[in-house]
Amino acid sequence: LQSNCLNCHAFNAPLLGPSFFDINGKYGTDATSKNTLVRHVLEGSTGIWGKGVMPSHPELTKEIAETMVQWILEKAGDKNISY
């Protein structure tokens, strides 16, 4: 499965959307935060990081979105990580 996440998000700096580092810093690792982020990935969101719109990603399964969010919450808090 290919993702278009990197079209809008970078690891350490904002692009069209916030960086994974910033997302990690804003949300906790609790179940509520994880569920919120999974919902944003799948359904999209607006107004959370300014006026930008996070498009929905219906092509992703819930399991894939959960894996992506888990990585962001566990690994993206290190400013030195870049891929």
Side-chain angles (χ1 to χ4, degrees):
L1 174 74
Q2 291 189 351
S3 164
N4 64 359
C5 299
L6 296 175
N7 291 344
C8 298
H9 301 279
F11 288 88
N12 302 335
L15 288 177
L16 294 173
S19 69
F20 293 142
F21 178 82
D22 290 337
I23 294 168
N24 175 284
K26 183 172 182 153
Y27 292 90
T29 57
D30 59 277
T32 300
S33 293
K34 290 179 189 177
N35 291 336
T36 297
L37 286 172
V38 168
R39 189 175 66 251
H40 291 178
V41 169
L42 295 175
E43 299 174 9
S45 63
T46 187
I48 295 170
W49 296 89
K51 295 180 182 179
V53 174
M54 167 81 170
S56 64
H57 293 84
E59 73 281 5
L60 300 175
T61 65
K62 184 177 180 187
E63 292 76 22
I64 289 172
E66 288 171 343
T67 299
M68 295 163 71
V69 165
Q70 187 68 34
W71 184 90
I72 291 169
L73 294 178
E74 287 182 2
K75 306 292 185 189
D78 183 345
K79 190 81 171 160
N80 296 314
I81 290 179
S82 183
Y83 291 89

